[in-house]
Amino acid sequence: VLQLFIFPVTTISVLANLTLITIISSTHVLHVGAYRYLLLSFAVVDILISIVHFLVVPGIQMTEFGFIFFGFRFIGEATVVGMVTDLIFIALFYQTFVLLVFHYAYRYLIICDPAWRNFVSGNHPWRNWIAIALTVDAMFIGGYMVAIKFGGLPNDSTRAAFAPMLKAAYNIDLLAPNRPGYLCLAYRVL
């Protein structure tokens, strides 16, 4: 059912966002101003998320001792491939939250016009906004990757703990010779 559902939803998402990009790019309304670039970034990120979601088909399973996140389409690949595709999906998924921060910051700057606005909108506003965006995104993704490094990567104990549950629920063998990749958080060790 999920496979039948994911293709039309991905298609609609990509087509709707491409339509939005086309409208924003071809229509120049003065009162929208620089907000158009924020809308464009939302549309581009949504297209990327939709495509990666279609390619990965993410799955998450909660248990009494933690949760495991994996991509159905890459479960037959080696550990590194599964982990990398999971990390790409999660990093893109959380980009929407980073964009929301910029959305609220932009609205705050426009509506409240704080004194420090000149720092951002000074001589080179594009350079300043891009530098802020890259810094915030690097901190966000970097923090996420550090958290994953210290607790979410596959290891023998989590593989053994999650293997029976995934075998019973999805017929996925975490102990197979290819050692499928996943991300997890174990609250306690069995």
Side-chain angles (χ1 to χ4, degrees), residues 107-115 117:
R107 291 176 71 180
Y108 173 77
L109 289 174
I110 296 300
I111 293 170
C112 297
D113 195 22
R117 179 179 178 192

Side-chain angles (χ1 to χ4, degrees), residues 56 151 179:
V56 173
R179 312 279 290 172

Side-chain angles (χ1 to χ4, degrees), residues 135-178:
T135 302
V136 168
D137 205 40
M139 289 171 46
F140 180 78
I141 296 298
Y144 174 76
M145 295 302 169
V146 167
I148 291 292
K149 171 91 170 123
F150 288 112
L153 297 179
N155 60 47
D156 291 336
S157 65
T158 59
R159 190 175 295 278
F162 286 108
M165 181 272 315
L166 278 184
K167 185 71 170 167
Y170 302 107
N171 198 26
I172 294 172
D173 187 6
L174 287 183
L175 304 173
N178 67 322

Side-chain angles (χ1 to χ4, degrees), residues 80-149:
V80 174
V81 174
M83 286 181 352
V84 168
T85 56
D86 293 347
L87 288 170
I88 289 170
F89 174 80
I90 292 171
L92 276 173
F93 178 79
Y94 284 108
Q95 289 303 305
T96 56
F97 299 112
V98 174
L99 284 173
L100 280 174
V101 169
F102 279 95
H103 182 256
Y104 289 119
Y106 178 84
R107 291 176 71 180
Y108 173 77
L109 289 174
I110 296 300
I111 293 170
C112 297
D113 195 22
W116 55 269
R117 179 179 178 192
N118 291 335
F119 169 74
V120 177
S121 304
N123 296 334
H124 306 284
W126 287 107
R127 181 193 65 197
N128 296 344
W129 277 108
I130 290 172
I132 291 169
L134 291 175
T135 302
V136 168
D137 205 40
M139 289 171 46
F140 180 78
I141 296 298
Y144 174 76
M145 295 302 169
V146 167
I148 291 292
K149 171 91 170 123

